[in-house]
Protein backbone atom coordinates (compact mmCIF):
# COMPACT_ATOMS: atom_id res chain seq x y z
CA UNK A 1 0.00 0.00 0.00
CA UNK A 2 2.85 2.38 0.91
CA UNK A 3 4.69 1.54 -2.34
CA UNK A 4 1.49 2.17 -4.31
CA UNK A 5 1.02 5.59 -2.66
CA UNK A 6 4.64 6.50 -3.40
CA UNK A 7 4.09 5.59 -7.05
CA UNK A 8 1.04 7.87 -7.23
CA UNK A 9 2.95 10.69 -5.52
CA UNK A 10 5.77 10.40 -8.09
CA UNK A 11 3.31 10.37 -11.03
CA UNK A 12 1.38 13.31 -9.53
CA UNK A 13 4.63 15.26 -9.04
CA UNK A 14 5.62 14.63 -12.65
CA UNK A 15 2.23 15.86 -13.90
CA UNK A 16 2.45 19.01 -11.73
CA UNK A 17 5.99 19.67 -12.99
CA UNK A 18 4.91 19.22 -16.61
CA UNK A 19 1.94 21.59 -16.16
CA UNK A 20 4.16 24.17 -14.46
CA UNK A 21 6.65 23.91 -17.30
CA UNK A 22 3.94 24.40 -19.94
CA UNK A 23 2.50 27.42 -18.10
CA UNK A 24 6.01 28.79 -17.63
CA UNK A 25 6.66 28.60 -21.37
CA UNK A 26 3.28 30.20 -22.17
CA UNK A 27 3.95 32.99 -19.66
CA UNK A 28 7.39 33.58 -21.16
CA UNK A 29 5.98 33.74 -24.69
CA UNK A 30 2.99 35.90 -23.78
CA UNK A 31 4.60 38.48 -21.55
CA UNK A 32 8.38 38.47 -22.00
CA UNK A 33 8.67 37.84 -25.76
CA UNK A 34 5.54 39.89 -26.54
CA UNK A 35 6.96 42.80 -24.54
CA UNK A 36 10.26 42.51 -26.41
CA UNK A 37 8.46 42.39 -29.75
CA UNK A 38 6.48 45.56 -28.96
CA UNK A 39 9.61 47.47 -27.96
CA UNK A 40 11.54 46.21 -30.98
CA UNK A 41 8.69 47.13 -33.36
CA UNK A 42 8.54 50.64 -31.94
CA UNK A 43 12.26 51.04 -32.56
CA UNK A 44 11.80 49.64 -36.04
CA UNK A 45 9.28 52.35 -36.95
CA UNK A 46 11.81 55.08 -36.01
CA UNK A 47 14.52 53.50 -38.15
CA UNK A 48 12.11 52.98 -41.07
CA UNK A 49 11.13 56.66 -40.96
CA UNK A 50 14.77 57.71 -41.31
CA UNK A 51 15.25 55.27 -44.19
CA UNK A 52 12.16 56.58 -46.01
CA UNK A 53 13.54 60.12 -45.63
CA UNK A 54 16.86 59.06 -47.16
CA UNK A 55 18.72 59.45 -43.85
CA UNK A 56 20.66 56.23 -44.33
CA UNK A 57 23.27 56.72 -41.60
CA UNK A 58 20.62 57.66 -39.06
CA UNK A 59 18.47 54.67 -40.02
CA UNK A 60 21.43 52.32 -39.64
CA UNK A 61 22.93 54.16 -36.64
CA UNK A 62 26.30 52.53 -37.36
CA UNK A 63 28.17 54.94 -35.10
CA UNK A 64 25.68 54.34 -32.25
CA UNK A 65 24.86 58.02 -32.02
CA UNK A 66 23.79 59.04 -28.53
CA UNK A 67 20.18 59.79 -29.38
CA UNK A 68 16.99 58.22 -28.20
CA UNK A 69 16.66 55.41 -30.76
CA UNK A 70 18.55 52.26 -31.71
CA UNK A 71 18.59 52.17 -35.51
CA UNK A 72 18.60 48.90 -37.44
CA UNK A 73 21.96 47.79 -36.04
CA UNK A 74 20.86 48.50 -32.48
CA UNK A 75 17.65 46.52 -32.96
CA UNK A 76 19.63 43.56 -34.32
CA UNK A 77 21.94 43.72 -31.31
CA UNK A 78 19.34 44.31 -28.57
CA UNK A 79 16.41 42.28 -29.94
CA UNK A 80 18.08 39.47 -31.93
CA UNK A 81 15.29 36.90 -31.54
CA UNK A 82 12.37 39.11 -32.50
CA UNK A 83 10.66 39.56 -35.87
CA UNK A 84 11.77 43.19 -35.84
CA UNK A 85 15.34 42.07 -35.20
CA UNK A 86 15.17 39.76 -38.20
CA UNK A 87 13.65 42.27 -40.64
CA UNK A 88 16.18 44.85 -39.42
CA UNK A 89 18.89 42.67 -40.99
CA UNK A 90 17.14 43.10 -44.34
CA UNK A 91 16.90 46.87 -43.90
CA UNK A 92 20.50 47.06 -42.69
CA UNK A 93 21.53 45.18 -45.85
CA UNK A 94 19.75 47.83 -47.94
CA UNK A 95 21.42 50.64 -45.97
CA UNK A 96 24.90 49.19 -46.38
CA UNK A 97 24.23 48.73 -50.08
CA UNK A 98 23.19 52.36 -50.46
CA UNK A 99 26.34 53.41 -48.59
CA UNK A 100 28.48 51.31 -50.95
CA UNK A 101 29.59 48.93 -48.20
CA UNK A 102 28.81 45.85 -50.23
CA UNK A 103 30.45 43.12 -48.14
CA UNK A 104 28.43 44.17 -45.08
CA UNK A 105 25.30 44.35 -47.23
CA UNK A 106 25.84 40.74 -48.34
CA UNK A 107 26.54 39.64 -44.78
CA UNK A 108 23.32 41.22 -43.50
CA UNK A 109 21.19 39.87 -46.31
CA UNK A 110 22.56 36.35 -45.83
CA UNK A 111 21.70 36.46 -42.11
CA UNK A 112 18.14 37.63 -42.82
CA UNK A 113 15.61 34.80 -42.61
CA UNK A 114 12.89 35.35 -45.22
CA UNK A 115 9.67 33.33 -45.09
CA UNK A 116 7.82 35.33 -47.73
CA UNK A 117 8.78 34.23 -51.26
CA UNK A 118 8.96 37.76 -52.66
CA UNK A 119 11.24 38.92 -49.83
CA UNK A 120 13.34 35.80 -50.27
CA UNK A 121 13.72 36.65 -53.95
CA UNK A 122 14.59 40.30 -53.22
CA UNK A 123 17.14 39.15 -50.63
CA UNK A 124 18.98 37.11 -53.27
CA UNK A 125 18.58 39.95 -55.76
CA UNK A 126 20.26 42.43 -53.43
CA UNK A 127 23.13 40.00 -52.87
CA UNK A 128 23.44 39.70 -56.65
CA UNK A 129 23.48 43.51 -56.97
CA UNK A 130 26.18 43.78 -54.32
CA UNK A 131 28.40 41.20 -56.05
CA UNK A 132 27.80 43.02 -59.34
CA UNK A 133 28.96 46.30 -57.78
CA UNK A 134 32.05 44.49 -56.50
CA UNK A 135 32.73 43.34 -60.08
CA UNK A 136 32.23 39.69 -59.12
CA UNK A 137 29.95 39.01 -62.08
CA UNK A 138 29.94 35.21 -61.77
CA UNK A 139 28.56 35.31 -58.23
CA UNK A 140 26.14 38.05 -59.22
CA UNK A 141 24.76 35.78 -61.95
CA UNK A 142 24.35 32.89 -59.53
CA UNK A 143 22.29 35.04 -57.16
CA UNK A 144 20.19 36.64 -59.90
CA UNK A 145 19.17 33.20 -61.14
CA UNK A 146 18.49 32.09 -57.55
CA UNK A 147 16.35 35.19 -57.05
CA UNK A 148 14.40 34.48 -60.23
CA UNK A 149 13.76 30.85 -59.28
CA UNK A 150 12.65 31.22 -55.64
CA UNK A 151 9.06 31.03 -56.85
CA UNK A 152 7.80 31.84 -60.33
CA UNK A 153 5.85 35.12 -60.23
CA UNK A 154 5.17 38.12 -62.46
CA UNK A 155 7.14 40.56 -60.33
CA UNK A 156 10.56 39.28 -59.31
CA UNK A 157 11.10 36.37 -61.72
CA UNK A 158 11.32 38.41 -64.95
CA UNK A 159 13.19 41.24 -63.17
CA UNK A 160 16.06 39.01 -62.06
CA UNK A 161 16.15 37.05 -65.32
CA UNK A 162 16.46 40.46 -66.98
CA UNK A 163 19.36 41.47 -64.72
CA UNK A 164 21.08 38.15 -65.44
CA UNK A 165 20.47 38.64 -69.18
CA UNK A 166 22.00 42.13 -69.12
CA UNK A 167 25.01 40.91 -67.18
CA UNK A 168 25.55 38.10 -69.68
CA UNK A 169 25.15 40.63 -72.48
CA UNK A 170 27.85 42.92 -71.11
CA UNK A 171 30.08 39.88 -70.61
CA UNK A 172 29.50 39.17 -74.34
CA UNK A 173 27.76 35.90 -73.61
CA UNK A 174 25.14 36.65 -76.19
CA UNK A 175 23.57 33.21 -76.50
CA UNK A 176 22.94 32.98 -72.74
CA UNK A 177 21.63 36.51 -72.72
CA UNK A 178 19.28 35.78 -75.64
CA UNK A 179 17.99 32.61 -73.96
CA UNK A 180 16.97 34.56 -70.83
CA UNK A 181 15.52 37.47 -72.79
CA UNK A 182 13.41 35.15 -74.93
CA UNK A 183 12.23 33.36 -71.79
CA UNK A 184 11.04 36.70 -70.42
CA UNK A 185 9.40 37.60 -73.74
CA UNK A 186 7.55 34.28 -73.92
CA UNK A 187 6.63 33.70 -70.25
CA UNK A 188 6.21 37.27 -68.98
CA UNK A 189 4.69 39.38 -71.79
CA UNK A 190 3.57 42.12 -69.38
CA UNK A 191 7.09 42.69 -68.02
CA UNK A 192 7.78 46.37 -67.31
CA UNK A 193 10.87 46.52 -69.54
CA UNK A 194 9.32 44.55 -72.39
CA UNK A 195 10.51 47.03 -75.05
CA UNK A 196 14.09 46.84 -73.80
CA UNK A 197 13.91 43.06 -73.97
CA UNK A 198 12.83 43.28 -77.62
CA UNK A 199 15.64 45.73 -78.43
CA UNK A 200 18.31 43.53 -76.86
CA UNK A 201 17.03 40.45 -78.68
CA UNK A 202 17.12 42.36 -81.99
CA UNK A 203 20.65 43.58 -81.28
CA UNK A 204 21.87 40.08 -80.39
CA UNK A 205 20.26 38.59 -83.52
CA UNK A 206 22.14 41.13 -85.65
CA UNK A 207 25.32 40.41 -83.72
CA UNK A 208 25.07 36.66 -84.14
Amino acid sequence: MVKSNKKYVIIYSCIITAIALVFGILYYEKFFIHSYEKKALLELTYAQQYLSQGEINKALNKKKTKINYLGFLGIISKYPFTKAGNISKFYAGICYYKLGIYKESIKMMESFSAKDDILFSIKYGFIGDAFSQMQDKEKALIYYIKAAKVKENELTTPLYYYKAALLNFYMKRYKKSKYLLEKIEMDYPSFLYKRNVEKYIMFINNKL
Side-chain angles (χ1 to χ4, degrees):
M1 190 71 158
V2 175
K3 283 184 180 180
S4 180
N5 285 338
K6 278 185 179 180
K7 191 182 287 184
Y8 282 122
V9 168
I10 291 167
I11 292 168
Y12 181 74
S13 297
C14 289
I15 292 168
I16 294 296
T17 303
I19 292 169
L21 185 62
V22 169
F23 276 103
I25 291 167
L26 290 174
Y27 178 86
Y28 177 81
E29 287 181 347
K30 186 175 180 180
F31 295 101
F32 185 73
I33 292 179
H34 182 65
S35 173
Y36 252 49
E37 285 285 1
K38 281 181 72 176
K39 289 175 184 176
L41 282 171
L42 184 61
E43 289 289 348
L44 183 63
T45 58
Y46 296 143
Q48 284 174 324
Q49 283 171 14
Y50 281 119
L51 181 59
S52 66
Q53 292 163 11
E55 297 278 359
I56 308 301
N57 281 307
K58 285 184 178 180
L60 197 59
N61 201 9
K62 186 160 60 79
K63 294 181 180 179
K64 297 182 180 178
T65 311
K66 291 181 180 179
I67 46 182
N68 195 28
Y69 80 103
L70 292 174
F72 294 125
L73 292 182
I75 297 166
I76 293 165
S77 176
K78 190 169 182 179
Y79 304 106
F81 304 114
T82 62
K83 291 177 183 177
N86 180 48
I87 197 68
S88 288
K89 293 173 184 176
F90 177 78
Y91 284 120
I94 293 172
C95 289
Y96 276 124
Y97 181 85
K98 287 180 176 290
L99 292 170
I101 308 172
Y102 302 118
K103 284 185 180 180
E104 284 300 318
S105 177
I106 291 167
K107 184 180 173 182
M108 281 294 168
M109 284 296 178
E110 284 180 336
S111 66
F112 166 60
S113 176
K115 292 182 180 178
D116 178 82
D117 290 326
I118 299 295
L119 268 182
F120 212 154
S121 181
I122 294 169
K123 162 186 168 170
Y124 282 147
F126 258 106
I127 294 172
D129 288 342
F131 276 121
S132 182
Q133 291 291 342
M134 293 165 64
Q135 301 302 311
D136 192 338
K137 294 180 176 63
E138 296 296 344
K139 281 189 179 176
L141 281 170
I142 289 167
Y143 278 95
Y144 286 149
I145 298 300
K146 272 187 176 183
K149 288 184 174 181
V150 167
K151 188 176 182 181
E152 296 283 325
N153 66 82
E154 296 289 329
L155 181 64
T156 60
T157 302
L159 174 64
Y160 292 118
Y161 276 142
Y162 181 65
K163 287 194 173 194
L166 291 188
L167 202 51
N168 274 309
F169 179 86
Y170 290 114
M171 293 166 75
K172 297 183 179 180
R173 297 175 180 175
Y174 298 122
K175 287 183 179 179
K176 287 184 178 180
S177 181
K178 185 184 176 183
Y179 169 78
L180 292 169
L181 291 166
E182 286 180 339
K183 184 174 178 62
I184 295 166
E185 189 177 47
M186 185 178 292
D187 297 344
Y188 305 96
S190 59
F191 179 52
L192 183 63
Y193 303 112
K194 182 183 177 181
R195 287 185 181 179
N196 286 357
V197 169
E198 291 169 355
K199 287 176 184 177
Y200 276 109
I201 290 172
M202 192 181 297
F203 181 91
I204 292 168
N205 283 337
N206 291 332
K207 194 84 176 173
L208 295 174

